[in-house]
Amino acid sequence: MNSIKIIIAGPRGRMGSEAVKLVTNINHFELMAVVDHKHEGMMLSDLDGFHSIHNVPIYTDFEKCLQDVEADVLIDLTTPEVGMHHAKTALAYNVRPVVGTTGFTMADLEELKEICDEKELGCIIAPNFAIGAVLMMKFSQMAAKYFNDVEIIEMHHDQKLDAPSGTAVKTAEMITAVRESKIQGHPNEKEVLQGARGAKYEGMHIHSVRLPGLVAHQQVLFGADGQTLTIRHDSFHRGSFMSGVKVAVETVMKQNIFVYGLENILE
Ligand code: NAP
C-alpha cells in the first residue's frame, strides 16, 4: 500500500499533538510537514515533546507549505477561522482536508461542499472523532423517533472556544431530521436569569458546561410520560479521538465527496 502523505495543522495543540503521535506511529501514514503560526523555519524536532520526530518542517504559511511539500491529506485541528481557511486552501491545491476543528457555520459547510463537488475531491469534517460519541448521536436519533422532548447537556474543558460544541449541534441536527416538531417546556415559561434554559434549537434546549478537569462529555436526555432515557458519552483523554482520525484519513483517500460527520463513513 502506498503511504498517505499528511500535513497536520495545529501540531502543538491538545488534539494536534495526539494526531502527530498517531500519524508517526502508523506505517502507511507519512508526516510531511506541520503548519503552526509560530516557529517559522524550525523543524518539528526542535520543539519540546517532538524531539524524536525527524525531517518534519514547520510552516507558518500554509500556501507555501502546499507549494513546497507533496501531500495527500491535511489534518486540521486549530480554530474555526483558521480551519476554514486551511480547508479551502488545501482543496485549491487538491489536498483532501480531514477537519476536526469545530465551530464551522452552515455557510462554511455549504461552501466547502460546493468546492468538493466542483473539484470532485474528498473532504471530511468531523465535529467528533470518538466512535462512542458517533454511536451516542446515532442512538439519540433512534430515540428521537419515539421521544420528542429532549434536552442536550454538553460538558467540556474550560479552554474550549465555541459553544455549544460541534457535537451538540450535530446531535440536534440529527434529532431534528426525525423528531416531530415541538416547542418544549411550558408556553409561559420565563427565564428569571437570562440563559437559564440554554440555547434553543428547533424547540430543543442545549446547555453548555465549561469546567477544568473535563475533556468532552455529552448527555442527551429524553422525557415522556412517567419515564426518561439518558444517553451519555465521555471522552476522558484525547487519545479517544484518534481511531476516528485514522478512519477518516483512510476514507477521504477513497471518496470524492464532501462528508460532514464521522457517522456517514462508519459501516
Ligand atoms: P488547542 O489545544 O487550543 O489547539 C489548537 C492549536 O492550534 C494550538 O496549538 C494553536 O496554537 C494552534 N493554532 C492557532 N492558530 C493557528 C494557525 N493559524 N496555524 C496553525 N496552528 C494554529 O485546541 P484543541 O483542544 O487541540 O482543539 C483543536 C480543535 O479541535 C478545536 O476546534 C476543538 O473544538 C476541536 N476538537 C475536535 C474534536 C473532534 O473529535 N473532532 C475533539 C476535541 C477537540 P497557539 O496555542 O500557539 O495559539
Side-chain angles (χ1 to χ4, degrees):
M1 185 196 287
N2 285 342
S3 67
I4 302 177
K5 296 181 169 52
I6 298 171
I7 297 170
I8 296 177
R12 285 177 299 104
R14 284 160 295 209
M15 285 290 283
S17 54
E18 287 293 329
V20 168
K21 264 193 244 162
L22 173 88
V23 170
T24 52
N25 281 322
I26 292 182
N27 283 339
H28 61 284
F29 286 1
E30 198 179 342
L31 184 59
M32 305 303 291
V34 294
V35 183
D36 197 339
H37 58 143
K38 299 170 184 164
H39 311 294
E40 175 64 35
M42 291 171 76
M43 300 297 284
L44 189 57
S45 56
D46 296 329
L47 304 187
D48 283 346
F50 301 108
H51 296 313
S52 63
I53 299 172
H54 299 292
N55 301 323
V56 178
I58 301 174
Y59 285 86
T60 52
D61 180 341
F62 184 40
E63 198 150 358
K64 169 110 178 53
C65 175
L66 290 165
Q67 285 158 3
D68 288 359
V69 170
E70 190 193 331
D72 302 305
V73 173
L74 161 74
I75 299 177
D76 188 276
L77 295 158
T78 59
T79 63
E81 301 74 29
V82 175
M84 181 60 188
H85 167 66
H86 282 170
K88 275 170 41 179
T89 312
L91 287 167
Y93 281 79
N94 296 323
V95 170
R96 295 156 189 258
V98 167
V99 179
T101 305
T102 58
F104 281 27
T105 63
M106 290 315 288
D108 290 338
L109 298 174
E110 272 303 315
E111 191 179 346
L112 291 175
K113 184 179 180 316
E114 269 175 33
I115 302 172
C116 291
D117 288 350
E118 197 180 300
K119 298 201 74 144
E120 295 185 10
L121 211 54
C123 170
I124 297 176
I125 311 285
N128 203 320
F129 282 121
I131 308 276
V134 173
L135 291 173
M136 167 194 63
M137 291 187 253
K138 286 199 169 203
F139 296 156
S140 300
Q141 191 179 42
M142 280 170 71
K145 280 188 195 159
Y146 306 99
F147 293 84
N148 59 6
D149 284 83
V150 50
E151 304 235 350
I152 299 171
I153 306 175
E154 56 95 342
M155 296 155 279
H156 282 81
H157 59 90
D158 62 345
Q159 298 306 302
K160 187 168 175 58
L161 294 176
D162 50 319
S165 69
T167 305
V169 173
K170 180 77 187 161
T171 309
E173 285 168 10
M174 286 173 67
I175 287 175
T176 300
V178 298
R179 169 181 173 266
E180 197 181 307
S181 170
K182 178 171 184 185
I183 305 294
Q184 290 176 199
H186 195 286
N188 299 331
E189 184 179 84
K190 202 164 84 189
E191 285 181 335
V192 178
L193 276 181
Q194 196 188 352
R197 293 286 288 121
K200 294 175 186 68
Y201 185 96
E202 301 284 336
M204 278 178 267
H205 296 251
I206 306 177
H207 312 267
S208 297
V209 177
R210 297 289 176 265
L211 283 173
L214 293 171
V215 177
H217 316 258
Q218 181 168 295
Q219 277 182 197
V220 186
L221 294 96
F222 296 91
D225 191 18
Q227 59 177 324
T228 63
L229 170 67
T230 303
I231 300 171
R232 177 173 175 127
H233 176 262
D234 298 273
S235 278
F236 295 109
H237 65 82
R238 287 169 181 80
S240 63
F241 301 112
M242 292 303 130
S243 53
V245 175
K246 177 174 182 285
V247 173
V249 168
E250 289 165 347
T251 307
V252 83
M253 289 301 295
K254 296 180 207 143
Q255 294 188 339
N256 291 325
I257 53 168
F258 174 83
V259 173
Y260 171 50
L262 202 65
E263 66 282 2
N264 296 308
I265 61 169
L266 293 179
E267 302 276 307

